[in-house]
Amino acid sequence: MKSTPLSLIAGAVALAAVTGFAALTAPGEGEATEAKAAARLPVERSSLLCPAPSSSDLADTTYTSFTPEGESDGEAGTAELNPSVPLPADDEDPAAGKDEEKGEEKDEKDEKDEKDEKPGADKPVVTLKDAGKPVTADTSESDAPALIGTATGRLAPGWTAQQTTTTAAGEARGLLGVSCTAPDTDFWFPGAGTAATRQDYVHLTNPDDTAAVADIELFGPEGALESDAGEGITVPPRSSVALLIPTLTSEAVDDVTVHVTTRTGRVGAVVRVAENDAGSDWLTASTDPAETLVLPGIPADATSVHLVAFAPGEDDADVKVQLMGKNTTFAPVGNDTLHIKSRMTASVDLKDVTRGEPGSIRLSPVDGDGTPVVAALRVVRGKGAKQEIAYIPATGPVGDRASVADNRAKGSVLSLTAPGGTAKVEVTASAGSEGGEKTVKTYTVKGGTTLEVTPEVPSGLKGGYALTVRTQSGGPVHASRTLTVTEGGIQMFTVQTLPDDGGTVEVPAVEQDLSVLDD
């Protein structure tokens, strides 16, 4: 009779063999099977979520869907962005009386019939059929819904989608760009606000067929803000909700870190920031808490740069603040370090730190091992009535590959930053959405510097195009894209970061061996 430990091992091995997950040999019963190196294979399914773009009648939105060309030999697949489901009327007004229901049934039926007749009401907003060439769609509807997207087969690896909204006037005017995000269960947003001058919303979108329940925590310079309204927020299946952040607490604070988590399910989360007389843009989540962070792509003509950071753990953090400029890395005068108290939001005004040259911010521990932090930059271009804002969250490196959609013949600038050693990257400008041939160019980024380039647009370009960055050697490299559109004499702009697209996953080498079932 075998000992208990060996019995447990045999049971585990049997399960692994039946599922085809692994083949092992119990200790003492022959030579152990040598572990084989894991292979990286293309993903077969991707999900993306785009928030509701705007409630303004003056807003125009462009959606762009793109998958880079790859080596996947899987099935053809599809990539679609579909409208989310509108919330039921009684969700919006829970006190609606039952006596009114019968009298309203006919009106509701008539409204439903009208919606069903509307072209595209129950069809995908954007459908991508081929890799290597973006597809676009436009809307100017003030009630345009959030979008829920899925890509399969050959279109899944590296699939990206961009939502770009131009609002020409009003308090929330600006160019608002966001790379549609993957669903998750935990998000950090340093840089929001609850002050009287702010109208910041957190958008939560649920891609699944069951309800999700989320919690929203707010942290200011003195710690957690009182907020009962942020607990137990239900996001119905395949629907989206937007919550005005200043209504979640009675405390008015300029710099707030928003923490979104889910109790059940998963959501896509993004914050829309709107500042009176300053502009508007989307704030996407910072990369996961880490000791060292990179925030790439401050435009050369930035008139103000404001850093917001947060330490989510139990320990304070002391970080070095460094600017990786065009030629070297240096510390901003008077702001070379930042002390971040545990679970308190810290900020520092770096003013016009780039002084006419492009740059990126690196945060790293002052001494030895540090404390994980999250961070984001609020960047201003222009002055007075012509100023405009955008946000740059801390982001991960490009890795093997990263893409950003909705680039145009004019106004797109790519920022490449090598915080460590010198690196070489390949940049591909895809074929245009309406015509043109792709172009490929290689750039060398010196260690500790930021290289700003105007991409070489596709030859014969018609429509928009996508940019794909691949690390060839050296590294790591962090990247972002700035898109600028001039409206009414204002240089409206938005910045999107380019972290690794996660187009491949590590799959262990397996070997089915049913002989382990013999006793």
Side-chain angles (χ1 to χ4, degrees):
M1 181 176 176
K2 294 180 180 179
S3 65
T4 300
L6 290 181
S7 298
L8 291 174
I9 291 172
V13 170
L15 288 174
V18 170
T19 61
F21 181 76
L24 302 171
T25 302
E29 296 185 355
E31 294 182 4
T33 301
E34 184 177 347
K36 297 181 180 179
R40 296 201 67 86
L41 299 178
V43 299
E44 297 179 352
R45 185 181 179 88
S46 296
S47 297
L48 292 176
L49 305 170
C50 311
S54 177
S55 59
S56 172
D57 292 328
L58 302 174
D60 295 306
T61 297
T62 296
Y63 303 103
T64 306
S65 176
F66 173 76
T67 294
E69 294 177 309
E71 293 75 35
S72 175
D73 57 358
E75 61 181 22
T78 60
E80 295 181 344
L81 289 169
N82 293 279
S84 60
V85 178
L87 295 178
D90 46 3
D91 276 3
E92 297 171 4
D93 185 8
K98 291 185 178 180
D99 293 340
E100 299 175 310
E101 291 179 0
K102 291 183 179 179
E104 293 176 348
E105 281 181 0
K106 185 177 183 300
D107 292 339
E108 290 175 354
K109 183 179 183 301
D110 291 343
E111 288 181 12
K112 182 180 184 299
D113 290 342
E114 289 178 8
K115 289 180 180 178
D116 288 343
E117 293 174 3
K118 183 178 179 181
D122 57 350
K123 297 179 181 179
V125 175
V126 187
T127 300
L128 181 68
K129 296 182 179 179
D130 300 302
K133 177 182 178 181
V135 173
T136 65
D138 300 310
T139 183
S140 57
E141 299 291 333
S142 61
D143 60 350
L147 303 184
I148 297 173
T150 303
T152 60
R154 295 180 185 177
L155 297 180
W159 182 46
T160 185
Q162 167 90 9
Q163 175 180 292
T164 309
T165 301
T166 304
T167 305
E171 292 183 352
R173 62 109 175 101
L175 183 67
L176 298 90
V178 60
S179 293
C180 302
T181 58
D184 207 339
T185 60
D186 196 348
F187 305 84
W188 292 98
F189 301 95
T194 61
T197 57
R198 303 287 286 267
Q199 295 291 312
D200 296 2
Y201 283 83
V202 58
H203 288 244
L204 307 176
T205 304
N206 177 8
D208 299 319
D209 295 327
T210 57
V213 179
D215 293 322
I216 300 176
E217 297 177 286
L218 306 177
F219 299 90
E222 302 299 325
L225 306 182
E226 293 186 11
S227 174
D228 293 334
E231 297 181 357
I233 299 165
T234 298
V235 187
R238 299 190 66 80
S239 296
S240 183
V241 298
L243 299 101
L244 182 60
I245 296 175
T247 65
L248 301 179
T249 180
S250 59
E251 300 183 52
V253 180
D254 287 328
D255 293 317
V256 171
T257 298
V258 178
H259 186 208
V260 176
T261 56
T262 60
R263 301 183 189 183
T264 59
R266 55 185 188 153
V267 297
V270 64
V271 172
R272 177 175 173 170
V273 174
E275 295 187 36
N276 294 350
D277 303 320
S280 183
D281 205 356
W282 292 103
L283 167 62
T284 54
S286 170
T287 190
D288 290 340
E291 295 178 10
T292 299
L293 298 176
V294 176
L295 301 89
I298 304 171
D301 61 351
T303 53
S304 176
V305 178
H306 189 73
L307 170 66
V308 182
F310 181 80
E314 298 300 322
D315 298 324
D316 293 356
D318 287 291
V319 298
K320 292 186 292 185
V321 180
Q322 295 174 299
L323 179 77
M324 292 176 286
K326 182 178 179 180
N327 299 307
T328 189
T329 297
F330 61 92
V333 177
N335 293 306
D336 54 337
T337 63
L338 178 64
H339 180 68
I340 311 167
K341 294 183 178 180
S342 169
R343 300 178 71 79
M344 297 182 186
T345 299
S347 62
V348 58
D349 189 358
L350 300 176
K351 301 180 181 179
D352 56 343
V353 64
T354 60
R355 297 191 180 279
E357 293 186 354
S360 303
I361 294 294
R362 178 173 62 194
L363 304 179
S364 58
V366 170
D367 295 310
D369 295 336
T371 298
V373 297
V374 293
L377 296 173
R378 173 186 177 272
V379 179
V380 179
R381 294 171 76 185
K383 296 181 179 180
K386 292 188 176 183
Q387 65 179 312
E388 162 72 327
I389 60 171
Y391 284 82
I392 304 174
T395 187
V398 168
D400 291 333
R401 182 185 61 190
S403 297
V404 62
D406 194 9
N407 296 281
R408 307 175 186 186
K410 295 181 179 180
S412 293
V413 173
L414 183 65
S415 178
L416 304 167
T417 301
T422 296
K424 183 178 292 186
V425 298
E426 176 189 87
V427 178
T428 301
S430 76
S433 58
E434 299 175 20
E437 299 295 329
K438 72 175 183 181
T439 61
V440 181
K441 194 165 184 178
T442 300
Y443 298 94
T444 298
V445 189
K446 181 183 173 183
T449 70
T450 296
L451 175 66
E452 183 179 270
V453 298
T454 299
E456 185 174 326
V457 300
S459 59
L461 173 66
K462 293 183 180 179
Y465 67 96
L467 284 170
T468 298
V469 181
R470 290 179 170 87
T471 305
Q472 291 191 321
S473 63
V477 174
H478 297 251
S480 68
R481 187 281 316 271
T482 299
L483 178 64
T484 303
V485 174
T486 302
E487 286 281 346
I490 300 174
Q491 278 197 317
M492 298 181 177
F493 76 114
T494 182
V495 181
Q496 279 70 56
T497 57
L498 281 79
D500 189 300
D501 62 24
T504 59
V505 290
E506 197 171 81
V507 179
V510 298
E511 180 181 323
Q512 186 167 303
D513 184 3
L514 297 181
S515 65
V516 298
L517 297 177
D518 297 333
D519 198 313

